[in-house]
Amino acid sequence: MSDMHQPKMVSETRVFEGRLQRWSHQSESTRTEMTFSIFLPPGNSHPSVLIWLSGLTCTDENFVQKAGAFRVASELGLAIVCPDTSPRGLDLPEEHDNYDFGSGAGFYVDATNPPWDVHYRMYSYVTRELPALIESSFDVSGRYSISGHSMGGHGALVCALKNPGQYQSVSAFAPITNPIQCPWGKKAFQGYLGRDVEAWKDWDTVSLIKAGRSFSHIRVEQGTKDNFLEEQLQPQALKDACEEAGQALTLNMREGYDHSYFFIASFIEDDLRYHADALNNTE
């Protein structure tokens, strides 16, 4: 790795005997400077890694500040890596005009439609460049799981389905399960991928499962009072697709919970323990 692409530490904070660090680096995938946060647990060489993908409008900092994950991650000896949600530092046409497209809304796809195709390559960043960077810069095990929230839940499911064997487990909090059939997804995919709806299906969890993609087990947490439940998230479409395809799914419908980080904080411990069990299973 050239000096130009070496990550630089932005900050470090001690938390539950571990270290929460924020780093920046020049990304080859996005051709911009990218930022990520990493929690390194105490006294544990070669920790396994959970990749957390955040949702619309978020940065790498939302999860680390609001999820309440580090007490349990410290106990479990689990590293957590939180990338940003889009490239930054650009001024593409309409990039900053809306919360659900452009800045803060990369949707974890590799864009093919100009001008987004040059920089908006968050899928390659998350699945290829970031793990390579983590392994070259930190003393980690090389075993990964992946999770995320909303747009990030969509990203986690798609990354797992498209990369067999790369992740030991996958989960999602209130994911956008069928973006080709919801307003957020239609807007983003038309902008990033063009008007060919068939091309969109390669970035849609429900479509991937219907096309035969599979994972050993998918775990989803969903609040019943989520304002986006029916129009944007569509967990029933995921459930139906999994049942038809024989895909193992645990869909926990949490009574009375909404879309916020209060919901995530309420169930993050269960989720982290689920991933730690998978990461520690070497059979």
Side-chain angles (χ1 to χ4, degrees):
M1 185 182 297
S2 69
D3 290 341
M4 177 182 176
H5 293 97
Q6 286 286 351
K8 298 178 182 178
M9 189 188 293
V10 177
S11 64
E12 181 176 53
T13 304
R14 188 163 184 169
V15 54
F16 290 104
E17 302 303 321
R19 292 171 291 150
L20 175 62
Q21 299 175 346
R22 200 171 190 226
W23 293 80
S24 67
H25 70 105
Q26 190 67 29
S27 168
E28 295 181 359
S29 301
T30 68
R31 302 186 190 180
T32 64
E33 186 175 46
M34 293 294 291
T35 302
F36 67 89
S37 292
I38 181 169
F39 172 75
L40 297 166
N44 188 347
S45 60
H46 305 296
S48 296
V49 179
L50 175 67
I51 303 288
W52 175 272
L53 305 182
S54 291
L56 291 169
T57 77
C58 292
T59 70
D60 58 295
E61 293 189 291
N62 293 75
F63 178 87
V64 303
Q65 294 175 355
K66 297 180 179 181
F70 299 132
R71 176 186 60 81
V72 178
S74 180
E75 173 197 330
L76 297 172
L78 182 65
I80 304 177
V81 173
C82 304
D84 204 347
T85 55
S86 78
R88 305 285 177 172
L90 304 168
D91 286 302
L92 300 176
E94 302 180 358
E95 184 181 20
H96 312 304
D97 292 355
N98 297 284
Y99 79 96
D100 54 356
F101 183 75
S103 182
F107 266 83
Y108 305 102
V109 303
D110 279 353
T112 55
N113 198 34
W116 311 98
D117 57 334
V118 176
H119 301 287
Y120 274 68
R121 301 184 57 79
M122 290 300 296
Y123 173 78
S124 288
Y125 178 73
V126 166
T127 61
R128 302 289 179 262
E129 183 176 1
L130 185 60
L133 180 65
I134 296 300
E135 290 179 32
S136 67
S137 304
F138 303 95
D139 182 20
V140 297
S141 71
R143 288 172 66 82
Y144 292 87
S145 290
I146 191 165
S147 186
H149 174 230
S150 194
M151 178 186 72
H154 140 76
L157 296 175
V158 167
C159 288
L161 289 168
K162 288 167 68 75
N163 292 277
Q166 183 163 334
Y167 306 101
Q168 302 305 307
S169 52
V170 62
S171 69
F173 285 74
I176 305 169
T177 68
N178 199 189
I180 67 172
Q181 295 294 342
C182 79
W184 280 341
K186 290 177 181 178
K187 178 178 181 177
F189 284 8
Q190 181 169 318
Y192 296 138
L193 306 172
R195 295 183 179 275
D196 181 4
V197 177
E198 285 300 310
W200 299 2
K201 292 181 179 180
D202 203 36
W203 305 100
D204 179 277
T205 297
V206 168
S207 296
L208 288 170
I209 291 170
K210 288 181 176 180
R213 299 275 188 157
S214 65
F215 197 85
S216 57
H217 181 254
I218 293 173
R219 177 186 171 100
V220 171
E221 301 283 352
Q222 176 63 63
T224 62
K225 295 296 185 182
D226 192 316
N227 290 338
F228 306 112
L229 182 63
E230 299 301 332
E231 182 179 33
Q232 304 284 10
L233 308 179
Q234 303 177 16
Q236 187 62 47
L238 175 64
K239 183 178 180 181
D240 292 345
C242 287
E243 288 179 351
E244 183 177 344
Q247 166 64 55
L249 170 70
T250 296
L251 175 58
N252 295 319
M253 298 299 296
R254 304 296 189 176
E255 186 65 34
Y257 285 88
D258 61 16
H259 198 70
S260 71
Y261 264 86
F262 295 113
F263 162 58
I264 296 171
S266 297
F267 300 103
I268 193 66
E269 179 170 351
D270 293 346
D271 199 59
L272 294 180
R273 293 189 184 280
Y274 170 76
H275 289 297
D277 286 345
L279 287 162
N280 292 331
N281 184 357
T282 57
E283 293 182 3

